[in-house]
Amino acid sequence: MKVEEEVAGPVLNRLRRAQGQLAGVIAMIEAGRDCKDVVTQLAAVSRALDRAGFKIVAGGMRQCMAAAADDDKAPPMTEEELERLFLILA
């Protein structure tokens, strides 16, 4: 399944922001910055990646549900499948 165009833009923005934050974390470590500052920025990178992943999963669920509504032959995602997608990101 392909990432929807309306989801791809915001996801790419989040990933680019995370990429910049990660570069900042690397620079902080190289500069010998305080551990507290490094960990704080690293947590921000992690949250940005999580948000991007959740946005992709939410878009995918919307696609699957729409496809199932359009095609009675295609079964909707089961609760277990949805749970597995979210747990991958946890």
Side-chain angles (χ1 to χ4, degrees):
M1 177 183 323
K2 197 170 127 177
V3 176
E4 292 180 316
E5 285 184 37
E6 66 185 47
V7 172
V11 166
L12 287 172
N13 287 339
R14 288 180 193 272
L15 291 175
R16 286 184 184 108
R17 188 175 313 124
Q19 185 178 31
Q21 289 172 319
L22 185 57
V25 170
I26 292 168
M28 291 171 75
I29 292 171
E30 291 173 343
R33 294 279 301 271
D34 184 61
C35 289
K36 181 181 172 188
D37 296 335
V38 172
V39 170
T40 299
Q41 284 304 309
L42 198 53
V45 172
S46 180
R47 282 191 304 274
L49 293 174
D50 287 345
R51 288 171 154 262
F54 286 129
K55 187 105 175 134
I56 290 171
V57 171
M61 288 185 343
R62 211 174 21 256
Q63 277 182 327
C64 288
M65 290 178 171
D70 291 343
D71 181 10
D72 293 332
K73 296 176 188 173
M77 291 181 75
T78 66
E79 186 175 327
E80 291 79 20
E81 289 171 318
L82 293 173
E83 184 178 336
R84 195 172 322 123
L85 286 175
F86 280 105
L87 287 175
I88 288 170
L89 293 170

